[in-house]
Amino acid sequence: MKSILNFICLIALTIALSSCSSNGPEGTAVKFTKAIYTADSDKAISYCTKESRTAVSMMLSIAAKYLEEFKATDPDVEVIRSEVSEDGTKASVDVRITNYYDILEHKVSEKSNEETLDLKKINDEWKVVVTK
């Protein structure tokens, strides 16, 4: 009986650690968001699907006017919710961003911003899907 309990604890620990992995959907969402909020186009594009690259490039080209301001910030990105589909091929991750440059206010924002990112597993890598 004790060995069954140990086995169940081991499985639970393995699942918990794998979900916190920087290679999981949460890690990809955080890295992508940091890249977007620091206007690092090469990194941002590396974390998204091929179909999303044009949309991401367009978003970052709009921010190009404020490139120095974006690069001078160090935004904090926190995962507040994460859900992976039953088949393990899609995920949705909600993040909260603080300490980011706000284009409308022309300063580092004192507020937080929340975003929902959709991700897709492609060749064992999580990629962000951008549709706007």
Side-chain angles (χ1 to χ4, degrees):
M1 182 67 157
K2 190 174 183 179
S3 63
I4 292 173
L5 184 59
N6 286 341
F7 180 72
I8 290 171
C9 288
L10 179 62
I11 289 184
L13 180 62
T14 302
I15 290 170
L17 291 175
S18 68
S19 68
C20 295
S21 167
S22 65
N23 295 329
E26 298 88 356
T28 300
V30 168
K31 290 184 264 188
F32 174 79
T33 303
K34 275 191 169 262
I36 289 291
Y37 277 81
T38 57
D40 189 335
S41 57
D42 290 338
K43 272 190 182 177
I45 287 171
S46 75
Y47 295 121
C48 67
T49 63
K50 288 180 184 178
E51 299 80 16
S52 301
R53 291 179 182 165
T54 301
V56 170
S57 294
M58 286 175 55
M59 286 187 326
L60 290 171
S61 69
I62 293 168
K65 181 177 178 181
Y66 305 99
L67 191 60
E68 287 185 34
E69 290 87 346
F70 274 99
K71 292 201 178 283
T73 64
D74 185 19
D76 295 316
V77 182
E78 171 191 5
V79 174
I80 53 178
R81 186 194 66 83
S82 177
E83 186 176 319
V84 178
S85 65
E86 265 188 49
D87 65 1
T89 61
K90 294 180 182 176
S92 177
V93 179
D94 294 343
V95 294
R96 180 178 296 123
I97 307 102
T98 54
N99 194 41
Y100 64 93
Y101 184 76
D102 188 319
I103 294 174
L104 300 176
E105 294 182 14
H106 302 287
K107 66 177 187 170
V108 174
S109 182
E110 296 172 8
K111 301 178 243 173
S112 65
N113 188 25
E114 292 185 7
E115 308 258 345
T116 299
L117 299 161
D118 293 319
L119 295 95
K120 186 178 186 181
K121 198 169 198 178
I122 301 171
N123 297 327
D124 289 331
E125 289 186 330
W126 287 100
K127 299 290 184 176
V128 176
V129 177
V130 180
T131 55
K132 307 177 198 179

